Amino acid sequence: MFATFSSVPPPTTPGSHSPSRPTIEDARQFSSNVPTSMPLAIFLDSGDVINDNKLRGPQWIDMIGTFVSSTPLGGPGELWGIANGKLVHKLHREGLWYDLLQKCESHKVLDRLNNLLWANECSQFVNGMILEARKKRLEGAMPEAIVTKEDYSEWPLVVLPEDEEDVILISVMMHLYCLAHVKADLPGAVEAIKTLKQDQGFEMYTCSEHWVLELLGDTMTTTLEKIRKRVQDYATRYPDHATVDILGPNPKEPVPVFTQIYGPDLVDAHKNSTRFYAEIFRDCGVDPREAIVVDDKEHMLSWAKVLGVRTVLISSVDRTGREMLVCVPDPEDNSKTKLVPAVDHQLNSLAELPLLTAYWKKQLQK
């Protein structure tokens, strides 16, 4: 049976996302599943591991409206934010994202289609609301906005650029603007990453379902070079619309904490596959048996577990009796397989991971 670090969740401050600071006694009580050798590298997911998706979502919607309304697309900012929310619902609740994954043989194709889909779907929604407002005005009825009482009937319809590359560039700039302005680090996450890297000596990587271009805007990345290049492309293409500060005021080169930022586009593989993790380990040269993969989704960890990694689930949900099992090679006989839990350890937050790894090191030194 796998050990859970948080079988009894530590007390939390009312209204706080972060548990109180765990102690070494907590580690002794809940961390009997000590590895036989110390892992060397840690691979972190982004959403709900480093960043709080609940905080990021509302900020993202506001930032979309602020930025897109300043681009050649124009339109009411409020409607762009709402349109994005409706598209997310359509992608993930109605299965459209899964359909896209099945149709795209490579992530490069998916990246392109996703940007075009965002622009087309959202612009159609915005135009639909403008046309509805015009119709109601002609009928003598008061136009109804979704959130405010603004009259959208006076707005011109959104017209997408004829060149698909221009459409994709605007979509990418929108993502970069949001990433530079949205602040949603989970409590203790940044401190935990610094401790794991600087104090405990782990090689740190990300392995997120987000594209590398997006992850470059996340906490403590290694370079802003790629982002600046895309921003310059946008400014050159649309000089009259490049007045919005995409990267925020005085962007600073972050501390180089992550050795590499891995997203599906860098390894050309979807995250919901063993190939995603296999390509990452091949690219960085890390033996999976010397790696820790941290995610907030058990099924994502299952894809990594079959390669022999040590897995850590960030979740406060009690999974007792509902643990996912995966089939892995038997270390004592490679011709055989055995069933093991997809999750080796469960923590309430990333802030607890340095204590867990410190406990492992102490136990292995005995």
Side-chain angles (χ1 to χ4, degrees), residues 228-276:
R228 290 193 176 106
K229 174 63 169 61
R230 297 307 296 268
V231 172
Q232 184 57 48
D233 291 344
Y234 178 75
T236 301
R237 181 67 183 86
Y238 297 110
D240 294 337
H241 296 273
T243 56
V244 174
D245 190 357
I246 294 175
L247 297 182
N250 303 318
K252 297 180 180 180
E253 197 72 23
V255 178
V257 171
F258 292 110
T259 302
Q260 181 58 277
I261 308 295
Y262 283 109
D265 52 336
L266 188 60
V267 295
D268 197 22
H270 307 317
K271 188 179 178 183
N272 60 336
S273 66
T274 296
R275 180 172 168 260
F276 173 78

